[in-house]
Amino acid sequence: MTECFDCDNCKESLYGRKYIQMDVGPYCIACYDAHFANTCNECKELIGHDCRELYYEDRHYHEHCFRCFRCDRSLADEPFTCQDEELLCNDCYCSEFSSKCVACEKTVMPGSRKLEYNGQTWHEHCFLCSSCQQPIGSRSFVPDKKDYYCVPCYESKFAPRCTRCKKSLTKGGVTYRDEPWHKECFVCTGCKTPLAGQQFTSQEDNPYCVKCFGNLYAKKCSACAKPITGFGGGKYVSFEDRHWHHNCFNCARCASSLVGKGFVPHNDEVLCRDCSSDL
């Protein structure tokens, strides 16, 4: 007696027919498609046993229905992105949602090296110095209106130059007589001591520290022989061709201050009136 071999659903004999073996038993093709086949999310028809089935996030598709929503390209063997429930190929997604390079106006593909500045995007190889036309890459740059410069080109083109060494000033510096100087270049004409942040004066447009100016050009006090520079609020008294610091202008006999008082010159000395009456 022949053993029964029937479809588990319709009970028709499967001898000589195609069938699909499931855990619960064998099924003829018609019953398998009716009970187990998924419905295509695109065309809403069953995906038969003999069709290549693709699925994405619990959605199932015929192979020929799994296509880009924009250009209708097959996505069966292509990378794709889902945007607002729509499947898009990489080209369409990038064209619609990715940034455009300001320089070449082409799409900046996801994952590619790029530079973003002030709301604009460039391919890394398109972001060029406006002067030397070399890619700036990850180096520092200086924006100037609609142009962008690498630091060496900007310094060469726009940065002020030191009056002494003629090199660019990139930071800090000193202004003297409306001219720019590096701090390290702005030194005393005499002793070469840096003058930035120090008191100084000039002689024939050359800067001097207080000490050098006093030694070289200042009047000398007739009493102490030290320079009279006038720095620090220092005052002095002059009489004929002689000069004194205020605190040095004293009577040669009694040492009382003669500032603002009458005095009498006697040879190389100055005397108060009381001491001069004894002469």
Side-chain angles (χ1 to χ4, degrees):
M1 185 175 180
T2 304
E3 184 177 354
C4 179
F5 184 52
D6 299 334
C7 170
D8 194 65
N9 181 63
C10 67
K11 306 306 180 183
E12 291 186 7
S13 176
L14 297 177
Y15 283 111
R17 299 172 59 190
K18 289 184 178 180
Y19 69 93
I20 297 175
Q21 182 67 44
M22 302 295 290
D23 290 340
V24 295
Y27 282 78
C28 66
I29 297 302
C31 288
Y32 172 84
D33 286 346
H35 289 81
F36 298 104
N38 293 303
T39 301
C40 176
N41 192 75
E42 181 66 22
C43 69
K44 310 306 180 186
E45 295 182 3
L46 290 177
I47 304 173
H49 70 284
D50 55 349
C51 296
R52 183 184 178 191
E53 179 178 347
L54 303 174
Y55 66 92
Y56 171 73
E57 291 187 350
D58 297 326
R59 288 179 284 174
H60 299 262
Y61 301 85
H62 293 104
E63 180 180 11
H64 59 271
C65 291
F66 194 61
R67 312 184 75 82
C68 173
F69 187 81
R70 295 284 191 275
C71 69
D72 206 37
R73 176 197 298 182
S74 173
L75 300 177
D77 298 303
E78 298 284 342
F80 65 90
T81 303
C82 185
Q83 181 73 23
D84 297 329
E85 301 298 316
E86 296 177 352
L87 299 177
L88 303 175
C89 66
N90 266 7
D91 289 345
C92 288
Y93 176 82
C94 292
S95 176
E96 187 162 346
F97 298 103
S98 293
S99 301
K100 294 287 194 302
C101 175
V102 175
C104 69
E105 298 184 351
K106 294 182 180 179
T107 300
V108 179
M109 299 296 289
S112 63
R113 297 179 68 87
K114 64 180 179 179
L115 186 141
E116 295 179 326
Y117 174 74
N118 203 25
Q120 297 178 310
T121 305
W122 291 261
H123 293 109
E124 186 179 59
H125 60 272
C126 290
F127 189 62
L128 308 178
C129 170
S130 298
S131 180
C132 67
Q133 294 300 306
Q134 295 300 307
I136 295 176
S138 59
R139 294 179 296 158
S140 298
F141 66 92
V142 181
D144 182 67
K145 298 179 181 177
K146 293 184 179 180
D147 294 323
Y148 303 90
Y149 296 90
C150 63
V151 172
C153 284
Y154 182 82
E155 292 176 354
S156 175
K157 193 175 183 69
F158 298 107
R161 294 187 176 275
C162 175
T163 303
R164 182 181 182 188
C165 70
K166 309 306 180 185
K167 294 181 180 179
S168 299
L169 276 82
T170 58
K171 58 182 178 180
V174 175
T175 299
Y176 172 64
R177 300 183 68 84
D178 294 325
E179 294 177 330
W181 303 64
H182 289 115
K183 288 183 178 180
E184 59 272 20
C185 290
F186 188 60
V187 298
C188 173
T189 306
C191 65
K192 308 306 178 185
T193 299
L195 297 178
Q198 306 297 321
Q199 283 188 323
F200 69 91
T201 188
S202 62
Q203 181 70 21
E204 296 180 352
D205 293 339
N206 294 317
Y208 288 88
C209 67
V210 174
K211 183 177 180 180
C212 285
F213 179 82
N215 291 335
L216 295 171
Y217 301 106
K219 300 176 178 68
K220 302 299 189 293
C221 178
S222 296
C224 69
K226 293 181 180 180
I228 300 174
T229 63
F231 287 100
K235 298 180 179 180
Y236 65 95
V237 175
S238 295
F239 175 70
E240 294 181 346
D241 59 348
R242 291 182 290 172
H243 312 278
W244 294 264
H245 295 108
H246 257 209
N247 57 352
C248 292
F249 189 54
N250 302 321
C251 175
R253 301 289 175 84
C254 68
S256 62
S257 174
L258 298 177
V259 176
K261 300 178 181 178
F263 64 91
V264 177
H266 178 68
N267 298 326
D268 291 334
E269 298 177 337
V270 286
L271 305 174
C272 65
R273 289 176 177 175
D274 290 342
C275 289
S276 66
S277 64
D278 296 333
L279 296 177

